[in-house]
Amino acid sequence: MAWAKKFPKKRFLYPELKRIDEEYYVGIKGLRGVGKTVLMLQLAMETKKSIYFSADSTLIKPFSLYEVVKALSSLGYRNVFIDEIHRKPDWAEDVKTLYDEHEVRIFFSGSSAVDILHSGADLSRRVVLKELPPASFREWLNIRKGMDIPVHSMEEVISRPFDMTEMYMELHALWTEYMERGGALYPESGFYDALENSIRKVILEDLSALREISVKYETDAYHLLYLVAKSAPFEVNYSSIAKELGVSKNMAIRLVEDLSKAGLLYTLQPCGSVRKEPKLYLTVPLRMFFAKKGFSIHRGALREEFFVNHVRWISQPCYLKGKRGEKTADFKVGDWIIEVSGEKKRRYQRPDYIAVDGLLTGNGRIPLFLFGLIY
């Protein structure tokens, strides 16, 4: 656990996990590379009678999870932190049994593809499950740039854009770097190789918890991510995916759902009861990663992706869609209607605010980068 001392800064989820009632076990799910292991070690270091291990360790391969935890309990450990728990066969049943025996408390992390609350062992009454999202712009600045920026609420960003822009003007220049290397907290050296390896592992290993993975499925999943990355908002839908990949529409829907469960895609639903397909967004920084393959980034998609990837962890957004030929604002977040656009965009169809690319405020404009400070 001494390794974790190299990472003094903590993700926003840390204090929330510390406050969870001791009656419950705690599960942490999230995309590879977002900091689950460091978070587990930080918690273990500050919890009495605790021990950490990874479930994929070769040292414990001959033993069940239940046997390992019982042995640790006999040595006096009362808080057991288990990383990559889904690597152990029958882990859910073992966790249920250990909970019922009440000898230890378990904190565990697992792949975002593993739906813990719907496991056969019915852990929903025993486990508080939290998702650790990709690092926000604020967290990335604190962890990678050594800053100490506090969380600012959505209400503060919307009501005080001029003051906040004056306070944080120098951060705007770092926005592009965040979009290229933010979200996933891999080391600077070999960042893109690590990210590509992570994407492959999610598809090959994590999604195998949902269904059997074939070579074609792997290829189609990767191709789908590439297709979204090179497209403008609304250019990709189930029909275009099916045509591009040479699969049925049902298979296209299944691929989107799987990649969403894995945390690589985010499906944004339309507002109200409008029967429309979801808008598809990638997790930061996947769009910039795929752009390295040789195409120009759609600036509007990049802006929207930054906005959606932040506000969705605070309040469930939806997108606005007018009738054919009718222009509307982009999103509704809570009671706010917000357009996401370039610096020179003019207002139309009554958006309450415009999240803009630059530093201009006034007339409803809010610099887009400020929304990166809300968690």
Side-chain angles (χ1 to χ4, degrees), residues 52-65:
Y52 163 94
F53 69 90
S54 179
D56 62 359
S57 171
T58 55
L59 296 175
I60 63 170
K61 191 173 183 179
F63 309 102
S64 70
L65 191 67

Side-chain angles (χ1 to χ4, degrees), residues 160-183:
R160 299 180 54 232
F162 179 80
D163 294 339
M164 289 192 62
T165 301
E166 277 204 323
M167 189 185 309
Y168 294 121
M169 190 176 297
E170 76 280 0
L171 302 183
H172 181 261
L174 295 169
W175 182 83
T176 300
E177 186 181 347
Y178 169 78
M179 295 305 291
E180 289 182 351
R181 294 178 178 271

Side-chain angles (χ1 to χ4, degrees), residues 227-260:
L227 184 64
V228 174
K230 70 177 185 177
S231 302
F234 265 130
E235 279 188 0
V236 179
N237 55 41
Y238 294 137
S239 296
S240 65
I241 292 169
K243 182 178 180 181
E244 181 75 21
L245 302 184
V247 299
S248 67
K249 187 173 181 179
N250 284 340
M251 184 61 190
I253 294 172
R254 184 184 302 170
L255 279 164
V256 169
E257 289 176 347
D258 287 356
L259 291 171
S260 298

Side-chain angles (χ1 to χ4, degrees), residues 92-107:
E93 290 78 7
D94 286 346
V95 167
K96 176 184 178 298
T97 303
L98 290 163
Y99 179 90
D100 292 340
E101 292 179 354
H102 283 293
E103 293 182 5
V104 297
R105 188 186 188 198
I106 291 178
F107 295 74

